[in-house]
Amino acid sequence: MKTIFSFSILSLLTLTTAFSQVLTRGTVNGQVGTVAGKPLEFTTMMLLKAKDSTLVKGAISDVDGKYAFENVGAGQYLVAAQQIGFRKTYSAPFAIDEAHPTRELPALAMADETKSLTEVKVVAQKPFIEQQVDRTVMNVENSIVASGNTALEVLEKAPGVTIDRQNDQIQLKGKAGVIVYIDGKQTYLSQQEVSNLLKNTPSDNIASIEIITNPGSKYDAAGNSGIINIKMKKNKNFGTNGTFILGTGYGWVKNLSGARDDLPKFNSSLNINHREGKINLFGNYSYVNRQSSQSNQIIRNIPYNGHTTYFDQNSFRPNQFIGHSYKAGMDYFINDKSTIGVLVNGFSNDWRSSGQNNTLISDENHVLTSKAITQTNQGNLLSNLTGNVNYKFDWGKGREWTVDGDFVHYGGKNSNNLATQYFNSENVIYRPNQDVRSNMPSTINIWAFKTDYVHPLKNGSKVEAGLKSSYVSADNNTIYDTLQQENRQWLPDASRSNQFQYNENINAGYLNYAGKFGKLKVQAGLRAEHTHSIGHSITLDQTVDRNYLNLFPTVFLSRQLDTNNVLNLSYSRRIDRPDYQNLNPFVFYLDPYTYQKGNPFLRPQYTNSIELTHVFKNAFTTTLNYSRTTDFINQETPRQIPAENVTYVTPENLGSMDNVSLNLSFPVMVAKWWRMQNNINTYYQHYQTIYSGTPYEVKLVAYNLYMSNNFTMSKTLSAEISGWYNSASQYGFYRAQPMGGFSIGVQKKVLDGKGTLKLNANDPFWLNHFNGRALVQDIDFRVQSRWESRQFRLTFTYRFGNQNVKGARQRNSATSAEQNRVGGQN
């Protein structure tokens, strides 16, 4: 492993290449106007390949008629301008190459169209998986099989992404610690709560998903395995316009008694944009009503005093989710340089479950000795309100200053009631029933401010700098009551109750340079983050105070070897701070024999990562990545209390983890009507730690595959088949068995192209399920989880209003690094 790391460092120092998220490709700028010289705003601009006029990128001219195409690969191009009432106009062909990375094109003059024209529409379908130099992009809004799904189900199809549904974790190339952004803003939620949020976010509201494995210094340093940025659909039109989506779905499973449970689903959303003069107003609302379920089987062997007790636990949890989400905002264009905006968004989620756990207990001869039946009733109410005020001043030619201020509020109220009956081998109650209930209110407030400045230099170079400050205040209270069977009264249970308060202040600053030295393009940055946190358990009178300063360097190098080949190298250092809820030493019971608890003594984990990428013809991508994580946080470390037959999980710091991954991404054009995208990711993991005083080591090679096939049958009819497969893998102490599935869908355009009908079947043969085992010292248990991944969905989308001109701006708020760590229970 040291040899690999040394080789990577040597390559970083000697490679005459460069990686830059903004400089690996060129830039094309220009202006469009009338023949009389008047600027034409809101003109559709298209960057086309000179060879066959295929669309490469699209853009909209601003109020001054200016437009820009960024991250343009080497090649021959021309620009087309299109506006109703004017003739379509083309530029002369031009080249983007090492000698001309930036092109300032002569102004395009559009003549009036003298004859009556019907509306002209430009349609360019992007592939579902698009491999760019510095990121992988999933174009969700173009996918048929993604329609009607949840955001989490779509992520499950992403190359290199695996979803651990047993522990509600998202992993990227075999590593946990993924930071999830929505529209460039972090969700401020824990891994578990992020998973829950994505489970209940309709994919029909998503435009694309970006997977960035090695972010630059401008990004917050959190996230050891990278960033997943979910971009919601944005209206790009002038006047009053919008999109209406209506979807329904159906799934079914068998419960513990073998009976069939039907699980219907419904979702709808409305997106509206209004642009007039200097004001742009936008808003959307989504509603989800979804029934689903999950079943688990846990088989445990617990040795104690020379004997072994066997547990066979089966649970079935049907649940219902009702969710409302909203967003409203305004951009005011003060003048051609200044823009101020306000944004308010939030959600209200209500998740409820009523299930049953059956536990069969046998002796070492596998003879049944007793059983326990636990009825569970859970509720999870979570609401969010986020406000953002932003300002942007644009001097032009790449020089700009932005300011953001945010306030975020989360309010949660979780409840969990457990009623357990104990039976002997003859099915007779042999001990009093046990009834426990919990109430867990939580409040989290986040204040943040950030400012960024970009200053262009000569020869296309630029300097970026920024500051950010955030303050988090969290209050979690866990109140347990136990039912006294004699008088049927609920009494407080102080031994299980706990109130935990957490305060955290992070101040950060960064400086980033991007430029070119000969043929070598360079982006280098340094980010400093100072953290002061205080975790206080009021009930236990226990305080953990941490105060530390970290530096996070990033280096990106790139070189265009020739017209078809680009070589890139990058290095970064990142941090993962513990989720707020993981620091809370509360206990959450699944049944009397199984629970999970927090750990107030968790430390941050740090990751050093180096990545080498080769891109051929802007399509075939090969990426080699090595990373080493120290103080690795394992979210689900198993522990046992053998004398009580109890098994629980808790987050712990577990030494180090080395990860080496090789990713291949390549498209195949089978026929004009059949396009295929393939992704292969192979990785090697090496865990080293001390578990209960004994060295623990795991070495594993794993891989995951993804393939999508798009078929165009006619101008209005298309189809898609996609599938994925994950080999056996390791999650800390858990070895997971292979998983996979496939989806199929058809799409029909209706109502003169304004409407779209999508019908898809997700995992029709119910192949997707989780099987895992933990085997370490006296821990030996197996887990099998199933959920209703087999679903059939029908979605109708209707677009109304003017569909020609730019709408709301994308915003990256100041609260970009904290929301992934807000705690919550499922």
Side-chain angles (χ1 to χ4, degrees), residues 747-758:
Q747 172 180 284
K748 175 69 175 178
K749 293 183 179 179
V750 296
L751 303 176
D752 295 327
K754 291 185 177 181
T756 304
L757 277 173
K758 296 180 181 179

Side-chain angles (χ1 to χ4, degrees), residues 688-719:
Q688 294 184 90
T689 188
I690 301 295
Y691 180 81
S692 298
T694 303
Y696 177 80
E697 184 177 24
V698 172
K699 297 180 180 180
L700 176 75
V701 175
Y703 61 92
N704 52 59
L705 312 174
Y706 176 82
M707 175 187 292
S708 66
N709 298 270
N710 297 88
F711 309 94
T712 303
M713 279 84 80
S714 69
K715 292 182 178 180
T716 60
L717 185 64
S718 56

Side-chain angles (χ1 to χ4, degrees), residues 647 684 719 796 814:
T647 301
Y684 165 81
F796 171 70

Side-chain angles (χ1 to χ4, degrees), residues 314-318 351-358 373-379 415-420 436 588-592:
N314 288 274
S315 66
F316 179 75
R317 292 193 306 170
W351 180 91
R352 298 183 184 276
S353 175
S354 179
Q356 180 175 309
N357 297 338
N358 294 340
I373 299 178
T374 301
Q375 301 293 333
T376 64
N377 287 282
Q378 294 176 255
S415 62
N416 187 22
N417 298 341
L418 292 87
T420 305
V436 177
F588 183 80
Y589 286 87
L590 302 177
D591 60 41

